[in-house]
Amino acid sequence: MPSRTPPPMVRINIPTVNLSEAWAPTPLRKHRLGTRLVRLYLPCLLIFSLVLNIFFFTRPVPLLRPSSLSSTRADDRAHRKYDSVDFKRLTDLVLVPGHGVYLGDGSPLNEASWYLLDEQRGEVGAFMAHIAKAVEIVKEHDQSLLLFSGGKTRIEAGAYSEAQGYWTAADRMGWLTKDVYRRVATEEFARDSYENVVFSIARFHEITGNYPDRITVVGFDFKKDRFLDLHLRALRYPKIRFNYVGINPPGDSAPLLKAERRDAYELFAKDLYGCSGKLAEKRVSRNPFMMNHGYAKSCPEMSSFFDYCPANPTAVYDGALPWVN
């Protein structure tokens, strides 16, 4: 049997590869860019989150409206319904002293809708809280009359009184519902806190024919001592028949209290009836429209009291007053 010749051998040369020269995938440009962005923005994001959390936990707590009041405005004024009132049976005065002037356009919760002095910026929430609390009190006591008190004190605000602005703000918020609508009115001549009280007592008499058995003032808490220590003393009004509900703006009230002592309390302590000096000057400056009240005629029992300016500015009026036995 013939022998088989094996096929020729084929030599294959396999090239050697240096490991240092081996192929490796080149990182994509987008991957490199993404890593850089993460390294750049992650610290910024962490810092922003820290600042946001610090603000959230240290921010002033906003003043809330009483839960019994809604914020729905009653627009159907042509068909407004309200309960009739026997004014002679009203016995309690609820008083809100005015501060800024609501101009009637836009939301009362928006500062742009008010005429404010620079130092009143940030206080609109407190103004609205005063209004809301007073309306709530009147809703709870059907023998009470609410008066917003304050005259046309700012020429820049035009012929809008502080009292008129507060009434309009309450109405726009829908708070003057039919059960209280006729028991909310205005006193539009007062130029300071003393006149807020005195003129509101007189206005109460104009409306009801009576003098109030009890008075509740809703205002700034840092002004409470001025009313309790000085105005009641000047009026000889019994403290047992007087109540003060204090609501401050959010934040630290210490600077407000310091300014109150310097600019009001100490002045009234030396001049109970505000007859001279800075208090008298303030009254002149806060009456740009030259308004004059007629309370001496409508309240003859108090006629001599309105003009009382003793030589001794701390001497208390000792004449007859309707609320003094």
Side-chain angles (χ1 to χ4, degrees), residues 176-190:
L176 302 187
T177 50
K178 70 184 189 72
D179 56 326
V180 299
Y181 181 76
R182 292 287 284 141
R183 291 189 292 120
V184 181
T186 60
E187 186 293 303
E188 303 191 48
F189 293 97

Side-chain angles (χ1 to χ4, degrees), residues 41-306:
Y41 289 112
L42 184 58
C44 296
L45 184 61
L46 291 174
I47 293 172
F48 176 76
S49 176
L50 178 63
V51 171
L52 190 63
N53 277 277
I54 291 173
F55 170 78
F56 179 81
F57 287 107
T58 61
R59 76 193 193 285
V61 178
L63 292 166
L64 300 178
R65 296 189 301 270
S67 57
S68 63
L69 298 179
S70 70
S71 59
T72 304
R73 179 185 174 188
D75 288 320
D76 192 10
R77 299 183 182 183
H79 302 91
R80 187 193 295 272
K81 295 180 180 180
Y82 48 83
D83 295 343
S84 60
V85 176
D86 180 2
F87 291 104
K88 291 183 179 180
R89 62 180 285 273
L90 301 183
T91 58
D92 289 23
L93 166 61
V94 180
L95 164 61
V96 177
H99 300 284
V101 183
Y102 173 58
L103 301 175
D105 294 324
S107 169
L109 302 175
N110 185 352
E111 279 198 350
S113 302
W114 292 71
Y115 176 78
L116 302 170
L117 302 178
D118 290 340
E119 59 267 25
Q120 293 174 322
R121 301 289 174 188
E123 296 184 355
V124 165
F127 299 166
M128 296 303 295
H130 297 165
I131 295 170
K133 184 61 179 178
V135 173
E136 186 180 56
I137 292 171
V138 172
K139 281 179 174 288
E140 294 173 353
H141 301 278
D142 61 3
Q143 290 186 311
S144 60
L145 174 70
L146 168 57
L147 291 177
F148 297 121
S149 174
K152 300 174 181 179
T153 56
R154 310 297 176 190
I155 189 68
E156 298 87 351
Y160 291 94
S161 70
E162 294 170 354
Q164 182 184 24
Y166 275 45
W167 189 99
T168 304
D171 191 41
R172 287 187 69 90
M173 294 299 292
W175 295 342
L176 302 187
T177 50
K178 70 184 189 72
D179 56 326
V180 299
Y181 181 76
R182 292 287 284 141
R183 291 189 292 120
V184 181
T186 60
E187 186 293 303
E188 303 191 48
F189 293 97
R191 299 164 294 178
D192 59 30
S193 57
Y194 170 77
E195 290 187 345
N196 285 140
V197 182
V198 177
F199 290 177
S200 292
I201 291 173
R203 182 76 174 116
F204 185 94
H205 181 267
E206 284 185 339
I207 295 172
T208 69
N210 307 310
Y211 291 96
D213 290 341
R214 287 166 293 275
I215 299 175
T216 297
V217 174
V218 183
F220 289 118
D221 190 66
F222 63 84
K223 295 185 178 183
K224 182 177 181 178
D225 289 347
R226 190 200 312 180
F227 285 80
L228 291 175
D229 298 347
L230 304 175
H231 296 340
L232 291 190
R233 178 184 165 201
L235 287 161
R236 290 161 53 207
Y237 197 89
K239 282 190 177 183
I240 196 172
R241 293 162 53 187
F242 184 87
N243 184 38
Y244 193 99
V245 179
I247 303 173
N248 278 340
D252 183 12
S253 61
L256 298 174
L257 181 59
K258 183 178 180 180
E260 155 68 13
R261 299 290 296 192
R262 180 189 67 239
D263 299 334
Y265 186 96
E266 292 178 3
L267 297 179
F268 274 110
K270 298 174 183 177
D271 185 6
L272 281 179
Y273 300 92
C275 294
S276 60
K278 290 183 178 179
L279 294 176
E281 292 171 4
K282 281 184 181 180
R283 288 177 182 171
V284 172
S285 68
R286 291 176 180 175
N287 189 18
F289 293 95
M290 311 298 179
M291 305 294 291
N292 291 289
H293 67 80
Y295 296 133
K297 279 191 174 182
S298 60
C299 306
E301 303 89 346
M302 297 176 61
S303 58
S304 59
F305 181 72
F306 291 122

